[in-house]
Amino acid sequence: MSTRPRAVAFDVLETLLTIEPLRARLSEIGQPPELLQAWFMRFQRDSMALALSGDFGAFRDVARQALRTDTGHTAGEQEIEYVLDGFAEMPAHPDAEPALRRLSEEGVGVGCLTVGNPEATANFLERAGLARHVDQVVTAEQAGLWKPAPAIYRATAYRLGVAPRDMALVAVHAWDCHGAKRAGCSAGWCSRLEGEYGDVFTPADATADDLVTLTERLLGLPAR
């Protein structure tokens, strides 16, 4: 039975922040803006492949190599670095701050669980005015693990001071929600990226089209 979480951990890339402005940077180096999604997917795939083989790739290193490949090795190293630097300037989705604030006001622990770079994540949270609502940040680089390894969700729950069953992950990626569920956590899925939840994944405990509504639905679950 789904129950109200005592802590909620948010995915960051594409859930709290939008990577859409990177399309402009790709255009500026002579690459098609539609390359963004394919590049980001390759980056995620390659990071997971390294993790499954027992290795770990730092965010920027894997993103750099993925972009080299997806540009057909036509982009220079300085151009690639220019695109990667854009991650430090990505804005938050408009519903991010009110969703985090609502949880904080309710006394629910708030965390971030991200594959992003630790320094870039910290800068984003400060710049977007979200840091004051966030109790803990766990990054794949700090943990030495890549989502959806079960241990990284459990480690995040531990950092937030709750058992995995009392933490919900919020993400726009169904595979991320599935990972959290398999780790014994609950999950809230926001549909704005994928449209429909994949039927190959364990269902989320709450779904909505935006983070504010999703937060309210998680808070509305029965207490344990």
Side-chain angles (χ1 to χ4, degrees):
M1 178 181 175
S2 301
T3 57
R4 175 178 165 135
R6 293 173 53 206
V8 177
F10 286 80
D11 170 58
V12 175
L13 295 172
E14 296 189 295
T15 300
L16 293 181
L17 68 77
T18 175
I19 63 172
E20 285 299 308
L22 291 177
R23 293 187 191 276
R25 289 195 175 228
L26 287 168
S27 293
E28 288 168 27
I29 66 166
Q31 299 295 330
E34 58 269 21
L35 185 66
L36 176 61
Q37 204 60 38
W39 165 45
F40 194 66
M41 291 295 290
R42 180 183 293 275
F43 154 69
Q44 289 182 311
R45 185 207 67 184
D46 290 354
S47 298
M48 291 179 186
L50 286 168
L52 286 169
S53 67
D55 294 317
F56 182 84
F59 177 91
R60 197 172 180 100
D61 294 341
V62 183
R64 181 186 298 112
Q65 181 56 55
L67 191 52
R68 288 180 185 136
T69 301
D70 273 352
T71 60
H73 303 280
T74 61
E77 290 302 304
Q78 287 187 332
E79 293 174 321
I80 288 174
E81 291 301 318
Y82 173 71
V83 175
L84 296 180
D85 286 345
F87 278 107
E89 301 178 10
M90 295 299 95
H93 285 289
D95 55 358
E97 195 279 334
L100 269 63
R101 172 165 35 91
R102 177 78 171 100
L103 289 168
S104 184
E105 290 171 349
E106 283 290 314
V108 175
V110 177
C112 289
L113 172 56
T114 179
V115 299
N117 174 277
E119 182 179 356
T121 300
N123 290 341
F124 159 70
L125 293 173
E126 286 290 347
R127 189 180 68 253
L130 304 180
R132 65 182 181 273
H133 304 306
V134 177
D135 302 304
Q136 294 289 338
V137 176
V138 177
T139 71
E141 190 168 326
Q142 291 167 333
L145 292 166
W146 203 268
K147 293 191 291 184
I152 196 167
Y153 301 99
R154 294 171 185 151
T156 304
Y158 175 80
R159 288 275 298 274
L160 285 166
V162 299
R165 67 177 186 172
D166 292 321
M167 185 190 84
L169 174 86
V170 167
V172 294
H173 310 104
W175 64 262
D176 202 358
C177 292
H178 175 84
K181 292 291 291 181
R182 297 293 289 168
C185 305
S186 55
W189 177 72
C190 179
S191 66
R192 66 169 163 235
L193 178 69
E194 297 172 338
E196 293 186 11
Y197 197 87
D199 60 9
V200 297
F201 301 117
T202 303
D205 299 273
T207 65
D209 295 334
D210 64 88
L211 295 180
V212 175
T213 304
L214 183 55
T215 295
E216 292 297 340
R217 289 178 179 172
L218 287 171
L219 290 173
L221 292 173
R224 188 180 298 281

